[in-house]
Amino acid sequence: MDQAGTGKVRLDKWLWAARFFKTRSLACDAIKGGKVSVNGLRTKPGHSLLVGDKLSVRKGHELKTLIVHELSIQRGPASVAQQL
């Protein structure tokens, strides 16, 4: 499910829906702090994600690199979040 059928979702909403952060506010802080990059570039919380984008998310000493497979603006169960 995406935002109004456009095929795009805000980065901060997607990170929250995919359960990388407990709140959108924490996701925004991480993005603004340079801890999240999209396709190797720093970006803003309102950046539109597309299926196939490559994300790098740093939390503490851990760096996760992932590919966006699905878009969602709704936070669901963890099993659904893993599919994103």
Side-chain angles (χ1 to χ4, degrees):
M1 177 184 304
D2 61 3
Q3 229 170 355
T6 61
K8 299 177 184 177
V9 173
R10 285 176 56 107
L11 176 59
D12 60 339
K13 284 187 179 183
W14 189 89
L15 288 170
W16 169 76
R19 295 182 171 253
F20 283 96
F21 296 95
K22 288 187 178 188
T23 66
R24 279 186 55 203
S25 177
L26 290 173
C28 285
D29 291 345
I31 296 165
K32 290 176 185 175
K35 298 191 183 331
V36 178
S37 63
V38 179
N39 298 323
L41 302 172
R42 285 182 67 171
T43 188
K44 295 181 179 182
H47 178 82
S48 295
L49 278 183
L50 300 171
V51 172
D53 280 345
K54 183 178 178 182
L55 300 179
S56 296
V57 181
R58 180 173 300 282
K59 289 181 84 176
H61 295 291
E62 186 178 2
L63 175 65
K64 293 183 181 185
T65 302
L66 49 125
I67 305 286
V68 177
H69 289 287
E70 291 184 41
L71 301 175
S72 178
I73 59 171
Q74 294 181 343
R75 189 175 175 109
S79 59
V80 173
Q82 290 175 347
Q83 302 301 316
L84 298 177

